[in-house]
Amino acid sequence: MKVLVTGGAGYIGSTICSALADAGHIPIVWDSLVTGERSFTKAHAFFEGDIADAEVLEKILREHPDCDRVIHCAARIIVPESVQQPELYYAENVVKSLQLFEHLRRAEVNRVVFSSSASVYAESESFTVDENHPRAPQSPYANTKAMMEDILKDFARAHNFQSIILRYFNPIGAEPKHRSGPFVSNPSHLLGRLVAAAHKGVDFAITGTNWPTRDGSGLRDYIHVADLAQAHVAAVEKFDEVIRTESQPTSTLNLGTGSGVTVREFVSSFERVLGRKLDVKEAPARDGDNAGCCTIIDKAKTLLGWTPQSSLDEGIRSALEWDEIWSERTKQQR
Ligand SMILES: NC(=O)c1ccc[n+]([C@@H]2O[C@H](COP(=O)([O-])OP(=O)(O)OC[C@H]3O[C@@H](n4cnc5c(N)ncnc54)[C@H](O)[C@@H]3O)[C@@H](O)[C@H]2O)c1
């Protein structure tokens, strides 16, 4: 099957494209490269352009008229940037996605898998959420995800337009055959900061040590990006079945591992995989941080017939290996 992947030159989109190809499907990448990496698109049909540009979609569908489903990953994703420039995030993530959906609907491409985020959820006293947990997005970025979810639901009510909304928890690691991986030079997420500490000597601090978790540090659900990608393969393959089982045109699924890991536990695992201790400092929580949560994944397991396969250590090892490969590759390109 042919699957159009917006944002297919990005970290998650490129991993999804590799997984689709390995499963015998044909991914078609649509990406403006505004933040994406051109080299990740080499193995696939690639259309460079903005998701709001109807002419690009026309060209794609002229060349691939049998493409009838879309995985919509393209977005701006940096939370602090969204706080500083909300107008950019609402324009890029909401307005352009709305235009994309309208163009898709008119072209009768009416199956969309959407990249949403755990950041739409309100805090949970039990540190565990399922898909029915209330939403309370805390940043313009998270707000754009919640707004897109609502737009998709309204589209589905009004038109023949179905969607599977996938709320990702915290993706880690790289594509297993090292075809792509994390590529931002200044990572702000936990594993990226630890890799930078291990390989480049960048200072590392646990930010926030007074949360009401088992050891005071924040708790998250870290899912290997390869497992995340497999869930997308299942979502496009079982799209009609999922929608039928749900008896409604929009389905929302959480994608995580089902286990919460605190930052202190994560740092211990990282040091074990690395084989040495790091100089770990402690600092106050950053603006907008919260205690965090993990997810119940029963719904995704049942509807997608999917179970995450990789351990936390495998995710960490994968990120460390990829960082060496990527550093070497970018050094050679300079
Ligand atoms: N990385 C995470 O931790 C995380 C967590 C939850 C949800 N998500 C969601 O997953 C999706 C993919 O995230 P990622 O980490 O791969 O991000 P990324 O920045 O690596 O990839 C995003 C891709 O979208 C492209 N893009 C952005 N705006 C575009 C536009 N207007 N037209 C065409 N292409 C455009 C970029 O060039 C880039 O290649 C996003 O929707 C993000 O919100 C990510």
Side-chain angles (χ1 to χ4, degrees):
M1 112 190 358
K2 283 188 180 170
V3 185
L4 180 55
V5 183
T6 75
Y11 167 50
I12 296 169
S14 60
T15 313
I16 293 170
C17 288
S18 297
L20 284 167
D22 288 351
H25 303 301
I26 301 173
I28 299 159
V29 177
W30 181 3
D31 199 300
S32 64
L33 300 180
V34 60
T35 57
E37 172 54 42
R38 184 182 294 278
S39 64
F40 294 171
T41 68
K42 289 265 155 61
H44 314 295
F46 173 47
F47 293 82
E48 187 171 341
D50 196 283
I51 52 160
D53 189 343
E55 282 178 19
V56 179
L57 181 63
E58 277 167 28
K59 188 164 188 272
I60 293 170
L61 294 177
R62 246 193 331 268
E63 291 181 34
H64 302 278
D66 47 343
C67 175
D68 69 348
R69 52 203 76 202
V70 179
I71 298 176
H72 179 33
C73 295
R76 300 296 183 109
I77 68 155
I78 302 167
V79 174
E81 186 179 63
S82 81
V83 175
Q84 285 151 10
Q85 300 180 66
E87 62 287 351
L88 176 73
Y89 275 68
Y90 290 116
E92 289 293 319
N93 291 3
V94 181
V95 177
K96 287 186 174 179
S97 293
L98 179 58
Q99 286 172 291
L100 168 72
F101 297 156
E102 185 53 12
H103 299 148
L104 288 171
R105 185 176 78 78
R106 287 177 191 279
E108 296 180 9
V109 178
N110 53 11
R111 293 178 183 88
V112 171
V113 174
F114 176 63
S115 301
S116 190
S117 160
S119 63
V120 298
Y121 284 119
E123 285 191 56
S124 159
E125 276 179 21
S126 66
F127 303 110
T128 306
V129 300
D130 67 10
E131 290 80 359
N132 298 319
H133 190 78
R135 294 185 319 178
Q138 295 296 310
S139 68
Y141 164 75
N143 230 349
T144 68
K145 292 291 164 188
M147 289 166 85
M148 291 317 305
E149 292 188 353
D150 292 343
I151 289 171
L152 283 168
K153 285 181 191 150
D154 288 343
F155 255 57
R157 260 180 233 120
H159 309 297
N160 173 23
F161 196 88
Q162 293 111 34
S163 49
I164 299 180
I165 293 164
L166 300 177
R167 291 179 180 151
Y168 310 161
F169 279 66
N170 298 76
I172 57 166
E175 197 284 318
K177 295 182 192 159
H178 297 142
R179 288 171 286 191
S180 64
F183 57 95
V184 290
S185 49
N186 214 351
S188 58
H189 59 274
L190 176 59
L191 182 51
R193 290 191 292 125
L194 282 167
V195 171
H199 285 171
K200 300 191 184 83
V202 176
D203 283 349
F204 174 82
I206 297 177
T207 45
T209 52
N210 288 317
W211 298 111
T213 57
R214 49 186 173 257
D215 62 18
S217 65
L219 176 142
R220 301 283 183 275
D221 188 333
Y222 298 96
I223 176 166
H224 198 299
V225 70
D227 284 324
L228 200 64
Q230 287 306 330
H232 289 73
V233 174
V236 291
E237 286 178 346
K238 299 189 175 187
F239 194 98
D240 293 345
E241 203 180 310
V242 170
I243 298 297
R244 233 187 349 262
T245 312
E246 288 274 68
S247 306
Q248 51 185 18
T250 310
S251 175
T252 304
L253 303 174
N254 286 352
L255 296 180
T257 62
S259 301
V261 176
T262 69
V263 177
R264 289 189 199 282
E265 290 162 355
F266 195 111
V267 171
S268 298
S269 299
F270 186 86
E271 289 177 331
R272 189 176 57 250
V273 174
L274 183 68
R276 64 183 161 90
K277 292 266 178 208
L278 293 175
D279 180 16
V280 177
K281 305 208 166 46
E282 294 189 3
R286 298 172 297 186
D287 268 357
D289 274 354
N290 59 33
C293 63
C294 69
T295 176
I296 293 164
I297 53 169
D298 295 2
K299 194 175 172 194
K301 277 184 169 173
T302 306
L303 286 180
L304 300 179
W306 161 91
T307 310
Q309 303 293 322
S310 303
S311 66
L312 180 64
D313 282 14
E314 283 166 329
I316 292 170
R317 192 168 299 111
S318 153
L320 281 165
E321 284 169 6
W322 165 258
D323 187 62
E324 291 191 351
I325 291 165
W326 183 244
S327 301
E328 200 49 46
R329 219 182 275 173
T330 43
K331 217 185 292 163
Q332 282 164 8
Q333 279 162 10
R334 263 188 250 126

